[in-house]
Amino acid sequence: MHLVIAIDGPAASGKSSVARALAYSFGFAYINTGAMYRAATWQVLRRGVDPLDEAAVAAAMEASQIVTGLNGLKESTITLDGDDPTPFLRDEAINHHVSNVSTVPRVRELLVARQRAYAERDDIVMEGRDIGSAVFPQTPYKFYVDASPEVRAQRRAAQGEGDSIAQRDRIDSTRRASPLMIAEDAQVIDSSRLTIEGVVGEIIGRLKLKRFPLPPLARLTRE
Ligand code: CDP
């Protein structure tokens, strides 16, 4: 298996920007698992399936051709039945339903298998809710990026999105199948008063302490 840096955290904690920046500076692939659950939600909605009907959601995803990969920037991609849902992933309807679709165990199984497959081919930075706790529990490099509820609500509003993050956090944290949680051995970083660069710097510092094999390029740019 390749190197895996797991970054988990609640909605709008800044983990996407941090994970992308870290992956870019190390030359690792950046895997956005939230985008995969958002894509599944898009598929369920466009197939006219009730997102609250667990059995129907599972059946719709079983019947879908899910193809994951990497683009030229080494960022994760996904298509469903040949179609790319990227332009729709931040739509309000997706924000509204994604946490319900994500509670369905079969949906998680189908997507987690693809998430794990990425590490068979590349060193990766993977962000999500359950990466350190369930997808790659064995990686020693796991972080939980948090921020106060006020800061997170402000960040999401500044992105101009209609998104009830408190409601998503509640569903994500209380679901039975791999809920959002702080893995026992995760390092928690409060990003409330830090910039993206500040959080990335903090993570690199902590990786060094853990004797993480920093790629030569990353080491060069920091010396
Ligand atoms: O970027 P944001 O914080 O808004 O959320 P996201 O990372 O795009 O994730 C959207 C939703 O997908 C979350 O609220 C979870 O319901 C679900 N998700 C999950 O269940 N497991 C993951 N590993 C990643 C996301």
Side-chain angles (χ1 to χ4, degrees), residues 8-13 15-16 32-35 37-38 90 95 98-100 102 108 115 127-131 135 156 163 165 168 172 175:
D8 290 301
S13 56
K15 64 191 180 317
S16 293
N32 179 347
T33 63
Y37 289 96
R38 287 174 178 275
R90 312 294 314 186
N95 284 339
V98 64
S99 286
N100 291 314
S102 301
R108 306 198 70 81
Q115 292 161 11
E127 62 140 312
R129 299 291 188 286
D130 60 341
I131 312 308
V135 183
R156 191 47 43 101
D163 190 4
I165 60 175
R168 273 203 293 129
D172 293 346
R175 71 178 175 224

Side-chain angles (χ1 to χ4, degrees), residues 16-200:
S16 293
S17 313
V18 165
R20 183 183 276 113
L22 199 61
Y24 189 73
S25 85
F26 286 5
F28 287 14
Y30 161 63
I31 316 298
N32 179 347
T33 63
M36 297 172 73
Y37 289 96
R38 287 174 178 275
T41 307
W42 172 80
Q43 175 77 343
V44 162
L45 293 176
R46 81 162 167 160
R47 293 289 182 241
V49 170
D50 175 0
L52 295 174
D53 182 340
E54 243 191 64
V57 167
M61 289 312 293
E62 293 265 8
S64 303
Q65 193 197 11
I66 307 169
V67 177
T68 50
L70 290 179
N71 65 18
L73 297 171
K74 287 178 87 171
E75 299 187 346
S76 54
T77 58
I78 183 166
T79 60
L80 289 144
D81 295 335
D83 297 320
D84 178 4
T86 305
F88 312 106
L89 296 185
R90 312 294 314 186
D91 284 0
E92 203 163 335
I94 307 277
N95 284 339
H96 188 69
H97 293 296
V98 64
S99 286
N100 291 314
V101 171
S102 301
T103 61
V104 179
R106 187 64 188 137
V107 171
R108 306 198 70 81
E109 274 171 23
L110 290 168
L111 297 182
V112 166
R114 279 152 178 97
Q115 292 161 11
R116 290 191 177 133
Y118 277 107
E120 289 166 15
R121 299 182 47 183
D122 285 285
D123 293 329
I124 62 175
V125 178
M126 182 174 283
E127 62 140 312
R129 299 291 188 286
D130 60 341
I131 312 308
S133 58
V135 183
F136 290 109
Q138 70 278 30
T139 184
Y141 312 117
K142 54 181 81 166
F143 298 88
Y144 186 94
V145 178
D146 210 346
S148 71
E150 297 75 28
V151 167
R152 295 191 292 111
Q154 272 167 19
R155 286 180 184 164
R156 191 47 43 101
Q159 289 167 329
E161 268 185 51
D163 190 4
S164 167
I165 60 175
Q167 193 198 353
R168 273 203 293 129
D169 285 347
R170 188 169 39 73
I171 300 175
D172 293 346
S173 309
T174 55
R175 71 178 175 224
R176 241 178 307 151
S178 38
L180 167 67
M181 58 183 277
I182 305 177
E184 212 174 278
D185 52 343
Q187 307 224 14
V188 179
I189 297 178
D190 184 344
S191 76
S192 303
R193 291 161 189 276
L194 293 174
T195 59
I196 304 296
E197 294 73 27
V199 179
V200 171

